[in-house]
Amino acid sequence: MTQKVIIFDFDGTIADTVDALVTIANRLALEFGYVPINPQELAILRNLTAREIIKYSGVSLFKIPFLVKKVKGELKLKIPELEPIDGINVALIELYNQGYHLGIITSNSQENVNEFLKCHNLDYLFNFIYSGVTIFGKTTIINNVLRQKQFKPEAVIYVGDETRDIESAKKANIKVIAVSWGFNSSEALSKQNPDFLIHHPSELLDVIKSC
């Protein structure tokens, strides 16, 4: 039997970074030419796809790589303050103990992810961490990982909190579990028809076993 591989997104899925990212984004609003995000606006953004958010914000596509780089740099300073999503530690340890092969694919920096995992004694759980700047999705990175690691698509499950995670996983022909505790709302995630939609990390093991 082929060992199942569970690939996780990082921000909003493992690490509770949404508030920190909003704070950083608001501090950079004037420099990059968009309106700061208030609580009402955040509620609107949670229901939009990545493309819709960029259109809504009015940020130039040419500025986005520079914005992403700056956000990652500022987030690095906040890593010691960040906490894991409530209950995710237990779920990850459980999956690891059950023999699943765990990895991370993120648009955050590998340095930030490694530091966070070490801060919370979670680094031993993951076999690989891949990072890449992706505005609309991670399909290319997922496909590269599948090829390099020689994973069979049918043995891989992606876990993420954004609509673009669902789109990317589908394009890569792997199953996807959407989680409602991160950035996008349950409604926005449901519209993308993930294989599963869950609301607490305690649901992960049972859902993965059923795949």
Side-chain angles (χ1 to χ4, degrees):
M1 182 178 164
T2 306
Q3 184 185 35
K4 272 187 186 169
V5 179
I6 319 301
I7 301 175
F8 288 85
D9 170 53
F10 178 71
D11 291 291
T13 302
I14 292 174
D16 189 358
T17 57
V18 174
D19 288 345
L21 289 169
V22 169
T23 301
I24 293 167
N26 283 345
R27 196 159 57 243
L28 298 173
L30 186 63
E31 182 181 346
F32 286 90
Y34 56 87
V35 178
I37 305 159
N38 60 37
Q40 292 76 25
E41 203 145 40
L42 182 58
I44 293 169
L45 296 177
R46 286 183 187 272
N47 285 303
L48 303 180
T49 65
R51 285 180 181 83
E52 289 168 342
I53 288 170
I54 289 166
K55 189 176 179 182
Y56 181 87
S57 70
V59 180
S60 163
L61 279 174
F62 297 107
K63 288 184 179 180
I64 288 173
F66 302 101
L67 174 60
V68 169
K69 186 178 180 181
K70 200 142 191 180
V71 168
K72 284 193 273 194
E74 293 215 10
L75 190 65
K76 181 183 178 181
L77 304 174
K78 289 183 171 284
I79 293 291
E81 305 165 25
L82 299 176
E83 292 294 329
I85 295 293
D86 188 36
I88 197 71
N89 297 36
V90 174
L92 290 171
I93 292 166
E94 204 171 10
L95 288 168
Y96 176 84
N97 288 338
Q98 293 276 339
Y100 291 100
H101 202 77
L102 307 182
I104 291 172
I105 292 180
T106 178
S107 50
N108 205 323
S109 72
Q110 198 159 343
E111 188 181 358
N112 285 353
V113 174
N114 281 329
E115 189 179 342
F116 175 88
L117 295 176
K118 282 174 185 170
C119 281
H120 298 283
N121 300 312
L122 298 171
D123 49 318
Y124 74 96
L125 299 173
F126 295 94
N127 295 93
F128 60 88
I129 298 168
Y130 282 80
S131 169
V133 177
T134 51
I135 301 165
F136 298 130
K138 301 171 182 169
T139 308
T140 303
I141 299 173
I142 292 172
N143 284 332
N144 286 342
V145 171
L146 297 184
R147 186 172 62 252
Q148 288 172 23
K149 297 284 187 181
Q150 297 185 319
F151 294 145
K152 294 180 179 177
E154 60 271 22
V156 179
I157 302 165
Y158 194 87
V159 183
D161 68 310
E162 294 185 53
T163 58
R164 61 181 179 157
D165 293 323
I166 300 169
E167 289 178 38
S168 299
K170 285 187 168 188
K171 285 177 184 173
N173 295 312
I174 61 175
K175 286 184 177 175
V176 59
I177 300 171
V179 303
S180 67
W181 57 75
F183 179 73
N184 275 129
S185 66
S186 294
E187 292 74 20
L189 295 168
S190 292
K191 284 178 186 174
Q192 301 299 321
N193 297 311
D195 294 289
F196 302 93
L197 174 60
I198 63 173
H199 307 287
H200 192 274
S202 58
E203 298 174 69
L204 267 171
L205 186 62
D206 286 342
V207 168
I208 287 167
K209 276 184 175 176
S210 74
C211 290

